[in-house]
Amino acid sequence: MTNRINKILTEGKTGSRQTVNGWVRTRRDTGSFSFLEINDGSCLANLQVIAEGTLPNYSEEIKKLSAGCAVTVSGDLKESPAKGQAVELHADSIIVVGWADPEEYPLQKKRHSFEFLREISHLRPRTNALGAVSRVRSRLSWGVHNYFQQRDFFQIHTPVITTSDCEGAGEMFTVTTEKVEKSGADAAAQVKEFFGKSAGLTVSGQLQAEVYALALGDVYTFGPTFRAEKSHTSRHLSEFWMIEPEMAFCDLEKNMQIAEEMLKYLLSDVLENCREDMQLFHKFIEKGLIDKLQSVIDDDFGHISYTEAIEVLLKAEKQFEYPVSWGIDLQAEHERYLTEEVYKRPLFVTDYPSSIKPFYMRLNDDGKTVAAMDLLVPGIGEIVGGSQREERYDVLYSRMLEAGIDVEQYGWYLDLRKFGSVPHSGFGLGFERLVQYVTGMANIREVIPFPRTPGSAPC
């Protein structure tokens, strides 16, 4: 029976017999024995193994081990005399499971750039930083489900292939069995409709989540989404994961409360349960990261309206690349100015102009704005976007016509407003942006296992 290294280092008792599987990080020979550093991906720290020269395969195999080799080690756990480690494993058996030629293995003992590691995405999770990202991402995923399950939300699996464009931006990947050799409208005409109508990869599970919210009450969906947007920024991906809760009998104020509570819950959980990995990010990726996240947990979030935000930006003694005026969609530079230089904390911005928001958001009494909210955080900008949904049939119908939406195709969505309609709200949290914020990684490509961006789809 094998044990994970994180358990051995934290719970292993000296004098106990242990067997561990892992990969060699380094080997150092001294006198008649060798020191091996073994890691199995369960934690940042390595397990030091003492390999005596009396082992039967010492000369032929152990002294030829190099970074990347896979081994199974058995022996006795003993107190370590060295600083920085409580225990070490004194091996009485080391089996070489898989060799890694040091002349070919690209991850030798030196620091590699993240740009280089993207070129070997099949090996990059073996590095300290990317391994830590993976563990933090896993914990955050667990935290998302735990948060909602503790509060009696039901998880809904919304379709990956959909016939509805939630955002109405036309940035969906078309699903077809035909080879498309044309572009634009000609391509749409050429596509053979496998599902009997035009279909694409989902940009959001929100509309389908509303169906279940108006039957089960509080629901959430957590799955992959896709955008055919040719953006090469450090904040955008073509494939990414979205957390999308939808709550019946819920207004915009309660919606914001849940978003704030959820974010604080996730940050608290990861700081408590991923301490070693978070220390790595705090020390090497973003100085002061842990303090920044703790302040988010401790402080109340700010609240301003879109109109108030525009007034602040117009008074700013700063030249923005994108000019500011009422009715524009806030850019990342505007969002970061508000959170980093003015309010210096996470900030809810509400009541955006209806002209720049999707048709499903509830129209306010002024007829110009909608009950929308974006949560902006320092260093990232928008991390959550949500709204109270339009529950009034006539208003929704008019908004859909104004947006040029085929009301027949969305007849099912209108039906929800005919049969027991209630106020309901929800939001979307881009999971990769959350991971990026928590780890301090500068580029979003580092926080998803296999980044898909325009012109790039490794593995």
Side-chain angles (χ1 to χ4, degrees):
M1 178 180 178
T2 59
N3 291 315
R4 300 306 299 270
I5 286 176
N6 65 327
K7 294 288 186 181
I8 293 174
L9 293 176
T10 57
E11 302 174 10
K13 296 181 180 179
T14 56
S16 64
R17 182 162 182 80
Q18 302 285 347
T19 298
V20 62
N21 297 317
W23 292 268
V24 175
R25 287 293 178 85
T26 64
R27 189 197 85 240
R28 178 168 58 89
D29 303 324
T30 175
S32 60
F33 62 94
S34 298
F35 293 103
L36 303 178
E37 296 289 331
I38 307 296
N39 192 281
D40 66 353
S42 64
C43 60
L44 181 63
N46 300 322
L47 175 63
Q48 180 166 278
V49 174
I50 308 300
E52 298 284 353
T54 54
L55 290 171
N57 60 339
Y58 182 76
S59 297
E60 294 183 1
E61 292 186 326
I62 295 172
K63 290 198 70 173
K64 296 178 182 178
L65 289 172
S66 58
C69 291
V71 294
T72 296
V73 182
S74 298
D76 295 326
L77 198 64
K78 297 185 179 182
E79 185 177 347
S80 176
K83 290 184 179 180
Q85 55 191 23
V87 294
E88 58 190 21
L89 188 61
H90 288 244
D92 54 36
S93 171
I94 298 179
I95 300 171
V96 182
V97 180
W99 292 96
D101 188 339
E103 297 298 322
E104 298 182 13
Y105 188 61
L107 296 177
Q108 296 303 312
K109 192 179 179 181
K110 64 177 182 179
R111 185 167 294 182
H112 301 282
S113 71
F114 291 127
E115 291 78 7
F116 167 73
L117 292 175
R118 279 183 228 136
E119 298 173 5
I120 51 169
S121 59
H122 58 298
L123 296 175
R124 69 176 187 163
R126 301 187 188 190
T127 63
N128 285 340
L130 275 298
V133 168
S134 299
R135 288 185 292 272
V136 168
R137 182 184 173 103
S138 176
R139 184 70 198 190
L140 284 169
S141 177
W142 180 91
V144 168
H145 291 293
N146 202 45
Y147 174 83
F148 287 121
Q149 294 294 331
Q150 287 180 355
R151 288 155 182 80
D152 297 324
F153 280 68
F154 297 102
Q155 184 183 11
I156 304 300
H157 294 127
T158 53
V160 171
I161 298 174
T162 182
T163 58
S164 58
D165 182 0
C166 177
E167 300 301 321
E171 296 172 344
M172 297 173 68
F173 288 98
T174 300
V175 175
T176 177
T177 58
E178 298 293 299
K179 180 179 179 181
V180 179
E181 297 176 349
K182 300 179 181 180
S183 60
D186 292 335
Q190 182 184 338
V191 170
K192 180 179 179 180
E193 308 297 2
F194 183 88
F195 296 99
K197 62 175 73 173
S198 179
L201 299 180
T202 183
V203 299
S204 169
Q206 177 210 308
L207 300 188
Q208 290 85 358
E210 285 188 56
V211 171
Y212 278 82
L214 295 177
L216 303 181
D218 295 340
V219 302
Y220 73 102
T221 180
F222 184 10
T225 54
F226 309 84
R227 297 225 175 145
E229 180 182 6
K230 292 187 177 180
S231 177
H232 296 271
T233 77
S234 61
R235 300 166 63 245
H236 289 87
L237 293 165
S238 299
E239 176 186 87
F240 52 98
W241 286 65
M242 286 286 287
I243 305 160
E244 297 179 290
E246 196 73 29
M247 294 78 68
F249 303 97
C250 178
D251 61 12
L252 185 66
E253 189 65 32
K254 183 179 178 182
N255 195 27
M256 290 190 288
Q257 290 174 4
I258 293 171
E260 180 172 347
E261 183 185 77
M262 185 189 73
L263 184 59
K264 290 184 175 184
Y265 174 90
L266 295 174
L267 297 185
S268 298
D269 181 77
V270 81
L271 287 180
E272 179 181 352
N273 293 287
C274 299
R275 295 178 184 177
E276 185 184 34
D277 291 325
M278 291 305 299
Q279 284 291 341
L280 179 144
F281 300 130
H282 179 84
K283 185 176 181 180
F284 296 107
I285 302 299
E286 182 183 338
K287 302 291 186 183
L289 174 65
I290 292 176
D291 298 328
K292 181 186 79 172
L293 298 180
Q294 189 62 53
S295 69
V296 172
I297 297 168
D298 296 338
D299 295 340
D300 292 333
F301 291 2
H303 291 73
I304 60 169
S305 69
Y306 169 89
T307 299
E308 291 170 332
I310 292 297
E311 291 173 354
V312 171
L313 292 169
L314 287 172
K315 296 176 182 177
E317 296 180 358
K318 181 175 181 176
Q319 190 70 33
F320 294 109
E321 180 182 353
Y322 293 92
V324 177
S325 63
W326 198 95
I328 67 160
D329 202 357
L330 296 181
Q331 301 297 313
E333 61 174 338
H334 306 140
E335 296 170 344
R336 294 189 62 176
Y337 174 78
L338 291 169
T339 57
E340 295 172 22
E341 299 186 42
V342 181
Y343 292 91
K344 302 183 188 305
R345 56 176 170 159
L347 180 69
F348 282 111
V349 179
T350 64
D351 303 313
Y352 283 78
S354 60
S355 59
I356 61 173
K357 289 297 183 180
F359 67 92
Y360 53 76
M361 295 186 175
R362 193 181 199 278
L363 191 65
N364 289 328
D365 292 341
D366 61 14
K368 299 188 303 180
T369 62
V370 289
M373 64 88 169
D374 285 345
L375 175 57
L376 316 180
V377 294
I380 294 287
E382 180 194 339
I383 196 170
V384 172
S387 72
Q388 184 171 335
R389 316 310 189 190
E390 183 56 76
E391 84 280 10
R392 298 164 296 185
Y393 180 93
D394 293 342
V395 178
L396 178 61
Y397 187 87
S398 298
R399 289 266 286 152
M400 292 172 76
L401 290 179
E402 291 173 6
I405 291 173
D406 184 348
V407 292
E408 290 188 12
Q409 182 180 348
Y410 289 81
W412 62 271
Y413 191 68
L414 284 165
D415 273 355
L416 299 175
R417 276 67 181 173
K418 291 169 62 178
F419 308 129
S421 182
V422 302
H424 58 290
S425 301
F427 61 83
L429 168 57
F431 189 55
E432 279 69 34
R433 287 198 184 177
L434 172 65
V435 181
Q436 188 179 8
Y437 183 59
V438 168
T439 61
M441 284 289 177
N443 198 309
I444 201 167
R445 293 170 178 83
E446 267 64 85
V447 301
I448 190 169
F450 303 100
R452 267 70 174 119
T453 55
S456 177
C459 293

